[in-house]
Amino acid sequence: MGARNLTALKRGDSARVLAVDGGHPSAKRLADLGFIPGATVEMLHPGTPCIVKLAHARLGLSACLQGSVLLAPQSFEAAANALPQCRETE
């Protein structure tokens, strides 16, 4: 499965941002808001506009903006979540 965008998420789903469509007029603004590679986004309310949680903020996005935020493929997410977590030693 390839990259998907925010429109693919259902309520309660989380995913990592892969990229923002650089050709979109609001790409820089989305990056400024925190839509950067590796950031985790959670869908709180799907639809148009949708409401997502990003870091400690809740943001409303139009359908156009939802389509420009590319998310990591689900297979990547599953593999990343399966990795053991590092623990710091004292």
Side-chain angles (χ1 to χ4, degrees):
M1 175 181 250
R4 56 204 168 119
N5 60 38
L6 284 174
T7 61
L9 296 182
K10 297 177 182 157
R11 183 184 314 265
D13 286 352
S14 294
R16 291 185 201 272
V17 175
L18 183 63
V20 173
D21 177 3
H24 192 278
S26 296
K28 183 179 179 335
R29 178 69 177 134
L30 287 168
D32 290 343
L33 288 170
F35 289 95
I36 57 173
T40 299
V41 61
E42 178 185 352
M43 181 61 69
L44 299 177
H45 180 77
T48 303
C50 74
I51 300 173
V52 298
K53 181 179 178 184
L54 182 68
H56 298 289
R58 291 186 173 137
L59 304 165
L61 300 174
S62 68
C64 181
L65 292 177
Q66 291 176 56
S68 67
V69 178
L70 303 177
L71 305 173
Q74 287 178 323
S75 58
F76 173 82
E77 287 296 308
N81 291 333
L83 293 174
Q85 299 298 314
C86 294
R87 292 185 185 163
E88 292 187 30
T89 58
E90 295 179 14

Coordinates of all heavy atoms in Angstrom, one line a residue:
M1 N 0.9 -1.2 0.0 CA 0.0 0.0 0.0 C 0.9 1.2 0.0 O 1.9 1.3 0.7 CB -0.9 0.0 1.2 CG -1.7 1.2 1.4 SD -2.8 1.2 2.8 CE -4.3 1.0 2.1
G2 N 0.6 2.2 -0.8 CA 1.4 3.4 -0.9 C 1.0 4.5 0.1 O 0.2 4.2 1.0
A3 N 1.6 5.6 -0.1 CA 1.2 6.8 0.8 C -0.3 7.1 0.6 O -0.9 6.9 -0.4 CB 2.1 8.0 0.4
R4 N -0.8 7.6 1.7 CA -2.2 8.0 1.7 C -2.3 9.4 2.3 O -1.3 9.9 2.7 CB -3.1 7.0 2.5 CG -2.5 6.9 4.0 CD -2.9 5.5 4.6 NE -2.1 5.4 5.8 CZ -2.6 5.3 7.0 NH1 -3.9 5.3 7.2 NH2 -1.8 5.2 8.0
N5 N -3.5 10.0 2.3 CA -3.6 11.4 2.9 C -4.6 11.3 4.0 O -5.1 10.3 4.4 CB -3.9 12.4 1.8 CG -5.2 12.1 1.1 OD1 -6.2 11.7 1.8 ND2 -5.3 12.4 -0.2
L6 N -4.8 12.5 4.6 CA -5.7 12.6 5.8 C -7.1 12.1 5.6 O -7.7 11.7 6.5 CB -5.7 14.0 6.3 CG -4.4 14.5 7.1 CD1 -4.6 16.0 7.4 CD2 -4.3 13.7 8.4
T7 N -7.6 12.2 4.3 CA -8.9 11.7 4.0 C -9.1 10.2 4.3 O -10.2 9.8 4.4 CB -9.3 12.1 2.6 OG1 -8.5 11.4 1.7 CG2 -9.3 13.6 2.3
A8 N -8.0 9.5 4.4 CA -8.1 8.0 4.6 C -8.3 7.7 6.1 O -8.6 6.5 6.4 CB -6.8 7.4 4.1
L9 N -8.1 8.6 7.0 CA -8.2 8.3 8.4 C -9.6 8.4 8.9 O -10.4 9.2 8.5 CB -7.4 9.3 9.2 CG -5.9 9.3 9.0 CD1 -5.2 10.3 9.9 CD2 -5.3 7.9 9.2
K10 N -9.9 7.5 9.8 CA -11.2 7.4 10.5 C -11.1 8.0 11.9 O -9.9 8.2 12.4 CB -11.7 6.0 10.6 CG -12.0 5.4 9.2 CD -12.4 4.0 9.3 CE -12.6 3.4 7.9 NZ -12.5 2.0 7.9
R11 N -12.2 8.3 12.5 CA -12.1 8.9 13.9 C -11.3 8.0 14.8 O -11.4 6.7 14.8 CB -13.5 9.0 14.5 CG -13.6 9.6 15.9 CD -15.0 9.6 16.4 NE -16.0 10.1 15.5 CZ -16.4 11.3 15.4 NH1 -15.9 12.2 16.2 NH2 -17.3 11.6 14.5
G12 N -10.3 8.5 15.5 CA -9.4 7.8 16.4 C -8.2 7.2 15.8 O -7.3 6.8 16.5
D13 N -8.1 7.2 14.4 CA -6.9 6.7 13.7 C -5.7 7.7 13.9 O -6.0 9.0 13.9 CB -7.1 6.6 12.2 CG -8.0 5.3 11.9 OD1 -8.3 4.5 12.8 OD2 -8.3 5.2 10.7
S14 N -4.5 7.2 14.0 CA -3.3 8.0 14.0 C -2.4 7.6 12.9 O -2.4 6.4 12.6 CB -2.6 7.9 15.4 OG -3.4 8.4 16.4
A15 N -1.6 8.5 12.5 CA -0.6 8.2 11.4 C 0.6 9.1 11.5 O 0.4 10.2 12.1 CB -1.2 8.2 10.1
R16 N 1.7 8.8 10.9 CA 2.8 9.7 10.8 C 2.8 10.4 9.5 O 2.5 9.9 8.5 CB 4.1 8.9 10.9 CG 4.3 8.3 12.3 CD 5.7 7.7 12.3 NE 5.8 6.7 13.4 CZ 6.2 7.0 14.6 NH1 6.5 8.2 15.0 NH2 6.2 6.0 15.5
V17 N 3.2 11.7 9.6 CA 3.2 12.5 8.3 C 4.5 12.1 7.6 O 5.6 11.9 8.1 CB 3.3 14.0 8.7 CG1 3.5 14.8 7.4 CG2 2.1 14.5 9.4
L18 N 4.3 11.8 6.3 CA 5.4 11.5 5.4 C 5.9 12.7 4.7 O 7.1 13.0 4.6 CB 4.9 10.5 4.4 CG 5.9 9.9 3.4 CD1 7.0 9.1 4.1 CD2 5.2 9.0 2.4
A19 N 5.0 13.6 4.2 CA 5.3 14.8 3.5 C 4.1 15.7 3.3 O 3.0 15.2 3.5 CB 6.0 14.5 2.2
V20 N 4.3 16.9 2.9 CA 3.2 17.8 2.5 C 3.5 18.1 1.1 O 4.6 18.3 0.7 CB 3.2 19.1 3.3 CG1 2.2 20.1 2.8 CG2 2.9 18.8 4.8
D21 N 2.5 18.0 0.3 CA 2.6 18.3 -1.2 C 3.2 19.7 -1.4 O 2.5 20.7 -1.1 CB 1.2 18.2 -1.8 CG 1.2 18.6 -3.3 OD1 2.3 18.8 -3.9 OD2 0.1 18.6 -3.9
G22 N 4.5 19.7 -1.8 CA 5.2 21.0 -1.9 C 4.6 21.9 -2.9 O 4.9 23.1 -2.9
G23 N 3.8 21.4 -3.9 CA 3.2 22.3 -4.9 C 1.9 22.9 -4.4 O 1.4 23.8 -5.1
H24 N 1.4 22.6 -3.2 CA 0.2 23.2 -2.7 C 0.5 24.6 -2.2 O 1.5 24.8 -1.5 CB -0.4 22.3 -1.6 CG -1.7 22.7 -1.2 ND1 -2.0 23.7 -0.3 CD2 -2.9 22.2 -1.5 CE1 -3.3 23.9 -0.2 NE2 -3.9 22.9 -0.9
P25 N -0.4 25.6 -2.5 CA -0.1 26.9 -2.0 C 0.1 27.1 -0.5 O 0.7 28.0 -0.1 CB -1.4 27.7 -2.5 CG -2.0 26.8 -3.5 CD -1.6 25.4 -3.2
S26 N -0.5 26.2 0.3 CA -0.4 26.3 1.7 C 0.6 25.4 2.3 O 0.6 25.2 3.5 CB -1.8 26.0 2.3 OG -2.7 27.0 2.0
A27 N 1.5 24.8 1.5 CA 2.5 23.8 2.0 C 3.3 24.4 3.1 O 3.6 23.8 4.2 CB 3.4 23.3 0.9
K28 N 3.8 25.6 3.0 CA 4.7 26.2 4.0 C 3.9 26.5 5.3 O 4.4 26.2 6.4 CB 5.3 27.5 3.5 CG 6.2 28.1 4.6 CD 6.9 29.4 4.1 CE 7.8 30.1 5.1 NZ 7.6 29.8 6.5
R29 N 2.7 26.9 5.2 CA 1.8 27.1 6.3 C 1.6 25.8 7.1 O 1.6 25.8 8.3 CB 0.5 27.8 5.9 CG -0.5 28.0 7.1 CD 0.1 29.1 8.0 NE -0.9 29.4 9.0 CZ -0.6 29.5 10.3 NH1 0.6 29.4 10.7 NH2 -1.6 29.7 11.2
L30 N 1.3 24.8 6.3 CA 1.1 23.5 7.0 C 2.3 23.0 7.7 O 2.3 22.5 8.8 CB 0.6 22.4 6.0 CG -0.8 22.6 5.4 CD1 -1.0 21.7 4.2 CD2 -1.8 22.3 6.5
A31 N 3.5 23.2 7.1 CA 4.8 22.9 7.8 C 5.0 23.7 9.0 O 5.4 23.2 10.1 CB 5.9 23.0 6.8
D32 N 4.6 25.0 8.9 CA 4.7 25.9 10.1 C 3.8 25.4 11.3 O 4.2 25.6 12.4 CB 4.4 27.3 9.7 CG 5.5 28.0 8.8 OD1 6.6 27.4 8.7 OD2 5.1 29.0 8.2
L33 N 2.7 24.8 10.9 CA 1.8 24.4 11.9 C 2.2 23.0 12.6 O 1.7 22.6 13.6 CB 0.4 24.2 11.3 CG -0.4 25.4 11.0 CD1 -1.6 25.1 10.2 CD2 -0.8 26.2 12.3
G34 N 3.2 22.4 11.9 CA 3.7 21.1 12.5 C 3.6 19.9 11.6 O 3.9 18.8 12.0
F35 N 3.0 20.1 10.5 CA 2.8 18.9 9.5 C 4.2 18.7 8.9 O 4.4 19.1 7.7 CB 1.7 19.2 8.5 CG 0.4 19.1 9.1 CD1 -0.3 20.3 9.5 CD2 -0.3 17.9 9.3 CE1 -1.5 20.3 10.1 CE2 -1.6 17.9 9.8 CZ -2.2 19.1 10.2
I36 N 5.1 18.1 9.6 CA 6.4 17.8 9.1 C 6.7 16.3 9.1 O 6.0 15.6 9.9 CB 7.5 18.5 9.9 CG1 7.4 18.2 11.4 CG2 7.4 20.1 9.7 CD1 8.5 18.7 12.3
P37 N 7.6 15.8 8.3 CA 7.9 14.3 8.3 C 8.1 13.8 9.7 O 8.9 14.4 10.5 CB 9.1 14.2 7.4 CG 8.9 15.4 6.5 CD 8.4 16.5 7.3
G38 N 7.4 12.7 10.0 CA 7.6 12.1 11.3 C 6.6 12.5 12.4 O 6.4 11.8 13.4
A39 N 5.9 13.6 12.2 CA 4.9 14.1 13.2 C 3.8 13.1 13.2 O 3.4 12.6 12.1 CB 4.5 15.5 12.8
T40 N 3.2 12.9 14.4 CA 2.0 12.1 14.5 C 0.8 12.9 14.5 O 0.7 13.9 15.2 CB 2.1 11.2 15.8 OG1 3.3 10.4 15.7 CG2 0.9 10.3 15.9
V41 N -0.2 12.5 13.7 CA -1.5 13.2 13.6 C -2.6 12.2 13.9 O -2.5 11.1 13.6 CB -1.7 13.9 12.2 CG1 -1.7 12.8 11.1 CG2 -2.9 14.7 12.1
E42 N -3.6 12.7 14.7 CA -4.7 11.9 15.1 C -6.0 12.5 14.5 O -6.2 13.7 14.7 CB -4.8 11.7 16.6 CG -6.0 10.9 17.0 CD -6.2 10.9 18.6 OE1 -5.3 11.4 19.3 OE2 -7.2 10.4 19.0
M43 N -6.9 11.7 13.9 CA -8.1 12.2 13.4 C -9.1 12.2 14.5 O -9.5 11.2 15.1 CB -8.6 11.3 12.3 CG -9.9 11.8 11.7 SD -9.9 13.4 10.9 CE -8.9 13.1 9.5
L44 N -9.6 13.4 14.9 CA -10.6 13.6 15.9 C -12.0 13.6 15.4 O -12.9 13.0 15.9 CB -10.4 14.8 16.7 CG -9.0 14.9 17.5 CD1 -8.9 16.3 18.1 CD2 -8.9 13.8 18.4
H45 N -12.2 14.2 14.2 CA -13.5 14.4 13.6 C -13.3 14.4 12.1 O -12.9 15.4 11.5 CB -14.2 15.6 14.0 CG -15.6 15.8 13.5 ND1 -16.6 15.1 13.9 CD2 -16.0 16.6 12.5 CE1 -17.7 15.5 13.2 NE2 -17.3 16.4 12.3
P46 N -13.6 13.3 11.4 CA -13.4 13.3 9.9 C -14.5 14.1 9.2 O -15.5 14.4 9.9 CB -13.5 11.8 9.6 CG -14.2 11.1 10.7 CD -14.0 12.0 11.9
G47 N -14.3 14.4 8.0 CA -15.3 15.2 7.3 C -14.7 16.5 6.7 O -13.5 16.6 6.6
T48 N -15.5 17.4 6.3 CA -15.1 18.6 5.7 C -15.8 19.8 6.4 O -17.0 19.9 6.2 CB -15.4 18.7 4.2 OG1 -14.7 17.6 3.6 CG2 -14.8 19.9 3.6
P49 N -15.1 20.5 7.2 CA -13.7 20.3 7.5 C -13.5 19.2 8.6 O -14.4 18.9 9.3 CB -13.3 21.7 8.2 CG -14.5 22.2 8.8 CD -15.7 21.7 7.9
C50 N -12.3 18.7 8.6 CA -12.0 17.7 9.6 C -11.3 18.4 10.8 O -10.8 19.5 10.7 CB -11.1 16.6 9.1 SG -9.4 17.1 8.8
I51 N -11.2 17.7 11.9 CA -10.5 18.2 13.1 C -9.4 17.2 13.4 O -9.8 16.0 13.6 CB -11.4 18.5 14.3 CG1 -12.4 19.6 13.9 CG2 -10.5 19.0 15.5 CD1 -13.5 19.8 14.9
V52 N -8.2 17.6 13.5 CA -7.1 16.7 13.8 C -6.3 17.2 15.0 O -6.4 18.4 15.3 CB -6.1 16.5 12.6 CG1 -6.8 15.9 11.4 CG2 -5.4 17.8 12.3
K53 N -5.7 16.2 15.7 CA -4.8 16.6 16.8 C -3.4 16.4 16.3 O -3.0 15.4 15.8 CB -5.1 15.7 18.0 CG -4.2 16.0 19.2 CD -4.5 15.1 20.4 CE -3.6 15.4 21.5 NZ -3.8 14.5 22.6
L54 N -2.6 17.5 16.5 CA -1.2 17.5 16.1 C -0.4 18.1 17.2 O -0.7 19.3 17.5 CB -1.0 18.3 14.8 CG 0.3 18.4 14.2 CD1 0.8 17.0 13.6 CD2 0.4 19.4 13.0
A55 N 0.5 17.3 17.8 CA 1.2 17.8 19.0 C 0.1 18.1 20.1 O -0.7 17.2 20.4 CB 2.1 19.0 18.7
H56 N 0.0 19.3 20.6 CA -0.9 19.6 21.6 C -2.0 20.5 21.1 O -2.7 21.1 21.8 CB -0.2 20.2 22.8 CG 0.8 19.3 23.4 ND1 0.4 18.2 24.2 CD2 2.1 19.3 23.4 CE1 1.5 17.6 24.6 NE2 2.5 18.3 24.2
A57 N -2.2 20.6 19.7 CA -3.1 21.5 19.1 C -4.2 20.7 18.4 O -4.0 19.6 17.9 CB -2.4 22.4 18.2
R58 N -5.4 21.3 18.3 CA -6.5 20.8 17.5 C -6.6 21.7 16.3 O -6.7 23.0 16.5 CB -7.7 20.7 18.3 CG -7.7 19.6 19.3 CD -9.0 19.4 20.0 NE -8.9 18.2 20.9 CZ -9.3 18.2 22.1 NH1 -10.0 19.2 22.6 NH2 -9.2 17.1 22.8
L59 N -6.6 21.2 15.1 CA -6.7 22.0 13.9 C -7.8 21.6 13.0 O -8.1 20.3 12.8 CB -5.4 21.9 13.1 CG -4.1 22.2 13.9 CD1 -2.9 21.8 13.2 CD2 -4.0 23.7 14.2
G60 N -8.5 22.5 12.4 CA -9.5 22.2 11.4 C -8.9 22.4 10.0 O -8.3 23.4 9.7
L61 N -9.2 21.4 9.1 CA -8.6 21.4 7.8 C -9.7 21.2 6.7 O -10.5 20.3 6.9 CB -7.5 20.4 7.6 CG -6.3 20.5 8.5 CD1 -5.4 19.3 8.3 CD2 -5.5 21.7 8.3
S62 N -9.6 22.0 5.7 CA -10.5 21.8 4.6 C -10.2 20.5 3.8 O -9.1 20.0 4.0 CB -10.5 23.0 3.6 OG -9.2 23.0 3.0
A63 N -11.0 20.1 2.9 CA -10.8 18.9 2.1 C -9.5 19.1 1.3 O -8.7 18.2 1.1 CB -12.0 18.6 1.2
C64 N -9.3 20.3 0.7 CA -8.1 20.6 -0.1 C -6.8 20.4 0.7 O -5.9 19.8 0.3 CB -8.2 22.0 -0.6 SG -6.8 22.5 -1.7
L65 N -6.8 20.9 2.0 CA -5.7 20.7 2.8 C -5.5 19.3 3.3 O -4.3 18.8 3.3 CB -5.8 21.7 4.0 CG -5.7 23.2 3.7 CD1 -5.9 24.0 5.0 CD2 -4.4 23.5 3.0
Q66 N -6.6 18.6 3.5 CA -6.5 17.2 3.9 C -5.8 16.4 2.8 O -4.9 15.5 3.1 CB -7.8 16.6 4.2 CG -8.6 17.1 5.3 CD -10.0 16.6 5.4 OE1 -10.1 15.3 5.5 NE2 -11.0 17.4 5.5
G67 N -6.1 16.7 1.6 CA -5.5 15.9 0.5 C -4.0 16.2 0.3 O -3.3 15.4 -0.4
S68 N -3.5 17.3 0.8 CA -2.1 17.6 0.6 C -1.2 17.1 1.7 O 0.1 17.2 1.5 CB -1.9 19.2 0.4 OG -2.2 19.8 1.7
V69 N -1.7 16.6 2.7 CA -0.9 16.0 3.8 C -0.7 14.5 3.5 O -1.7 13.7 3.7 CB -1.5 16.2 5.2 CG1 -0.6 15.6 6.3 CG2 -1.6 17.7 5.5
L70 N 0.4 14.0 3.1 CA 0.7 12.6 2.8 C 1.1 11.9 4.1 O 2.0 12.4 4.8 CB 1.7 12.5 1.7 CG 1.4 13.3 0.4 CD1 2.5 13.1 -0.6 CD2 0.1 12.7 -0.2
L71 N 0.6 10.7 4.3 CA 0.9 9.9 5.5 C 1.7 8.7 5.1 O 1.6 8.2 4.0 CB -0.4 9.5 6.1 CG -1.4 10.7 6.5 CD1 -2.7 10.1 7.0 CD2 -0.8 11.6 7.5
A72 N 2.5 8.2 6.1 CA 3.3 7.0 5.8 C 2.3 5.9 5.6 O 1.2 5.8 6.2 CB 4.1 6.8 7.1
P73 N 2.7 4.9 4.7 CA 1.9 3.7 4.5 C 1.7 3.0 5.8 O 2.5 3.0 6.7 CB 2.8 2.9 3.5 CG 3.7 3.9 2.9 CD 4.0 4.9 3.9
Q74 N 0.5 2.3 5.9 CA 0.2 1.5 7.1 C 1.2 0.5 7.4 O 1.5 0.2 8.5 CB -1.2 0.9 7.0 CG -2.3 1.9 7.1 CD -3.6 1.3 6.9 OE1 -3.8 0.4 6.1 NE2 -4.6 1.8 7.6
S75 N 1.8 -0.2 6.4 CA 2.8 -1.2 6.6 C 4.1 -0.6 7.3 O 4.7 -1.2 8.2 CB 3.2 -1.9 5.3 OG 3.7 -0.9 4.4
F76 N 4.4 0.6 7.0 CA 5.5 1.3 7.6 C 5.1 1.6 9.1 O 6.0 1.4 10.0 CB 5.8 2.7 6.9 CG 6.8 3.5 7.7 CD1 8.2 3.3 7.5 CD2 6.4 4.6 8.5 CE1 9.1 4.1 8.1 CE2 7.3 5.3 9.1 CZ 8.7 5.1 9.0
E77 N 3.9 2.0 9.3 CA 3.5 2.3 10.7 C 3.5 1.0 11.5 O 4.0 1.0 12.7 CB 2.0 2.8 10.7 CG 1.9 4.2 10.2 CD 2.6 5.2 11.1 OE1 2.3 5.2 12.4 OE2 3.4 5.9 10.6
A78 N 3.1 -0.1 11.0 CA 3.1 -1.4 11.7 C 4.5 -1.8 12.1 O 4.8 -2.3 13.2 CB 2.3 -2.5 10.9
A79 N 5.4 -1.7 11.1 CA 6.8 -2.0 11.3 C 7.4 -1.1 12.4 O 8.2 -1.6 13.2 CB 7.6 -1.9 10.0
A80 N 7.2 0.2 12.3 CA 7.7 1.1 13.3 C 7.2 0.8 14.7 O 8.0 0.9 15.7 CB 7.4 2.5 12.9
N81 N 6.0 0.5 14.8 CA 5.4 0.2 16.1 C 5.9 -1.2 16.7 O 5.8 -1.4 17.9 CB 3.9 0.2 16.1 CG 3.3 1.6 15.9 OD1 3.9 2.6 16.2 ND2 2.1 1.7 15.3
A82 N 6.4 -2.1 15.8 CA 6.8 -3.4 16.3 C 8.3 -3.3 16.8 O 8.7 -4.2 17.4 CB 6.7 -4.4 15.1
L83 N 9.0 -2.2 16.5 CA 10.4 -2.1 16.9 C 10.4 -2.0 18.5 O 9.6 -1.3 19.1 CB 11.0 -0.9 16.3 CG 11.3 -1.0 14.8 CD1 11.8 0.4 14.3 CD2 12.2 -2.1 14.4
P84 N 11.4 -2.6 19.1 CA 11.6 -2.5 20.5 C 12.0 -1.0 20.9 O 12.7 -0.4 20.1 CB 12.7 -3.5 20.9 CG 13.4 -3.7 19.6 CD 12.4 -3.5 18.5
Q85 N 11.5 -0.6 22.0 CA 11.8 0.8 22.4 C 13.1 0.8 23.2 O 13.4 -0.1 24.0 CB 10.6 1.3 23.3 CG 9.3 1.4 22.6 CD 9.3 2.3 21.5 OE1 9.9 3.4 21.6 NE2 8.8 1.9 20.3
C86 N 13.9 1.8 23.0 CA 15.2 1.9 23.7 C 14.9 2.4 25.1 O 14.1 3.2 25.3 CB 16.1 2.9 22.9 SG 16.6 2.3 21.3
R87 N 15.7 1.9 26.0 CA 15.6 2.4 27.4 C 16.9 2.9 27.8 O 18.0 2.4 27.5 CB 15.2 1.2 28.3 CG 13.9 0.7 28.1 CD 13.6 -0.4 29.2 NE 12.3 -1.0 28.9 CZ 11.9 -2.1 29.4 NH1 12.7 -2.8 30.2 NH2 10.7 -2.6 29.1
E88 N 16.9 4.1 28.4 CA 18.1 4.7 28.9 C 18.5 4.0 30.2 O 17.7 3.6 31.0 CB 17.9 6.2 29.2 CG 17.7 7.0 27.9 CD 17.6 8.5 28.2 OE1 18.3 8.9 29.2 OE2 16.9 9.2 27.5
T89 N 19.8 3.8 30.3 CA 20.4 3.1 31.5 C 20.9 4.2 32.4 O 21.3 5.3 32.0 CB 21.5 2.2 31.1 OG1 22.5 2.9 30.5 CG2 21.0 1.0 30.3
E90 N 20.9 3.9 33.7 CA 21.3 4.9 34.7 C 22.8 4.8 34.9 O 23.4 3.8 34.8 CB 20.5 4.7 36.0 CG 19.1 5.0 35.8 CD 18.3 4.8 37.1 OE1 18.9 4.6 38.2 OE2 17.1 4.8 37.0

